[in-house]
Amino acid sequence: DIMSEWDLEPGDVTTRSELHKRYGGATQGGIEPSNSTPNIFVFSDLKSGASHGYKYDRWEGDVFHYTGQGKVGDQLYQGRNLSLMRHKETDRKVRVFQANGMVKGTQTVSQVYLGEFKVDPELTHVERDAPDDNGDNRTVIVFRLVPLGKHSRPAQVENPKGPGQVRPEVSAPTVVPIEVTRVTEFSI
């Protein structure tokens, strides 16, 4: 029974199969346009994503950075990545979800609804290097998603010592002047 009216609030917890039942869209994949409602679902999961080189998903200031789709080779502006890039032209709402551990007693990943976002019109994306599934370096598309109105911002789930998990980079490096050294000879 597909619902046309969106009734999830930021911070609500659900599962992909529940979303699929209510709003359409596939239960696999990170960027999932619904075939029956005007939504594109974006799923961020640092734990499972890190193994595919999807290590850039995180908040930077008021912008949520989200790694595009494609596990081998450079990510391209086609398919799901293109549908996210063009969500405004196709009149679809971008709904972002963040993995939130397992539903108690199951193998099902729990999803927190962060809210409705749009691709930043000022700077839609940046390109970054990341390993692919074969361990080869490649270029990934990191979308810059801006929240529209009320949104939820749960703690970024990370455990630097855990397998396949990443720690968000710390703030930008600070430039310090090089020490001046006047060495004219040295011993070997």
Side-chain angles (χ1 to χ4, degrees):
D1 186 28
I2 300 285
M3 298 179 56
S4 52
E5 276 308 301
W6 187 260
D7 66 350
L8 285 178
E9 287 292 318
D12 284 356
V13 176
T14 185
T15 64
R16 292 188 70 152
S17 57
E18 191 55 40
L19 279 170
H20 176 69
K21 272 193 289 229
R22 291 168 68 181
Y23 304 108
T27 54
Q28 298 292 316
I31 300 171
E32 286 306 323
S34 166
N35 47 9
S36 46
T37 63
N39 295 299
I40 295 179
F41 302 116
V42 169
F43 297 94
S44 176
D45 185 343
L46 269 180
K47 282 191 184 124
S48 77
S51 60
H52 304 297
Y54 297 175
K55 58 186 182 179
Y56 297 106
D57 290 20
R58 69 172 145 269
W59 287 96
E60 287 190 14
D62 293 333
V63 177
F64 187 72
H65 286 220
Y66 180 75
T67 311
Q69 210 157 320
K71 293 180 180 177
V72 176
D74 290 344
Q75 289 184 351
L76 304 169
Y77 299 99
Q78 61 187 37
R80 308 285 198 219
N81 292 331
L82 193 60
S83 62
L84 179 54
M85 192 78 89
R86 293 196 173 147
H87 77 90
K88 214 167 157 54
E89 295 160 44
T90 57
D91 216 21
R92 289 176 178 264
K93 295 183 181 322
V94 176
R95 312 278 187 185
V96 179
F97 294 84
Q98 183 175 309
N100 183 40
M102 296 291 176
V103 175
K104 213 179 175 73
T106 72
Q107 288 301 300
T108 306
V109 177
S110 161
Q111 303 282 346
V112 183
Y113 176 50
L114 302 191
E116 186 188 337
F117 287 67
K118 68 175 180 184
V119 173
D120 187 345
E122 301 294 307
L123 179 63
T124 55
H125 66 283
V126 290
E127 293 187 349
R128 296 279 181 258
D129 289 335
D132 69 8
D133 275 12
N134 300 330
D136 298 320
N137 204 27
R138 45 80 175 260
T139 300
V140 294
I141 300 165
V142 181
F143 289 97
R144 291 171 41 85
L145 303 177
V146 179
L148 293 170
K150 190 177 156 206
H151 62 283
S152 172
R153 204 168 160 163
Q156 309 208 56
V157 184
E158 67 250 335
N159 165 7
K161 294 182 183 68
Q165 295 181 10
V166 295
R167 206 166 74 217
E169 268 120 54
V170 210
S171 59
T174 313
V175 178
V176 294
I178 294 172
E179 292 174 19
V180 177
T181 52
R182 289 194 174 75
V183 177
T184 52
E185 52 186 54
F186 52 94
S187 56
I188 298 172

